[in-house]
């Protein structure tokens, strides 16, 4: 995600796909011992508003398209992105983007 944000800061355009790590998708809190050491392994850990604020620090959300996962985690992330956009002075209709359906990992 850092590379994508760096690309945005350089070119000014991007579609940012928020791919969350497994604990975030499962609704774990970072302090939960059941998820210890798993946050941020294969995606972005976005457990609360502060994480989203940090992720989009310096990124004007009206100039990017967001690709959010579908389902409940997508609704949660949309709410966090809307609050972050509002804090940047944007109206809710200033956000653009889409949703995507995450596919389960293949099993061997």
């Amino acid at each position: 995600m850092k590379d994508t944000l760096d690309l945005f800061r350089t070119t000014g355009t991007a579609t940012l796909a928020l791919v969350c790590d497994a604990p975030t998708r499962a609704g774990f809190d970072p302090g939960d011992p059941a998820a210890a050491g798993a946050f941020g392994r294969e995606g972005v850990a976005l457990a609360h508003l502060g994480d989203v604020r940090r992720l989009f620090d310096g990124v004007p959300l009206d100039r990017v398209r967001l690709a959010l996962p579908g389902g409940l985690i997508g609704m949660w992330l949309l709410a966090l992105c809307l609050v972050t956009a509002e804090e940047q002075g944007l109206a809710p209709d200033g956000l653009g983007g889409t949703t995507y359906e995450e596919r389960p990992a293949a099993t061997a």
Side-chain angles (χ1 to χ4, degrees):
M1 187 66 158
K2 181 184 178 315
D3 293 338
T4 303
L5 291 173
D6 288 344
L7 176 66
F8 167 76
R9 289 181 180 108
T10 303
T11 65
T13 59
T15 296
L16 304 175
L18 296 184
V19 179
C20 297
D21 62 4
T24 298
R25 289 191 312 265
F28 282 102
D29 182 89
D32 191 323
F39 278 93
R41 274 195 190 160
E42 75 287 338
V44 181
L46 297 172
H48 53 77
L49 182 57
D51 291 339
V52 176
R53 284 178 178 145
R54 240 182 334 277
L55 180 66
F56 292 124
D57 183 38
V59 176
L61 289 173
D62 59 341
R63 294 188 46 216
V64 297
R65 290 182 44 82
L66 298 175
L68 303 175
L72 295 177
I73 189 68
M75 292 177 8
W76 167 248
L77 290 174
L78 177 59
L80 296 177
C81 290
L82 285 169
V83 170
T84 303
E86 184 178 282
E87 291 174 348
Q88 290 183 3
L90 303 174
D93 61 357
L95 289 179
T98 188
T99 60
Y100 64 90
E101 193 58 42
E102 293 184 306
R103 299 184 183 210
T107 58

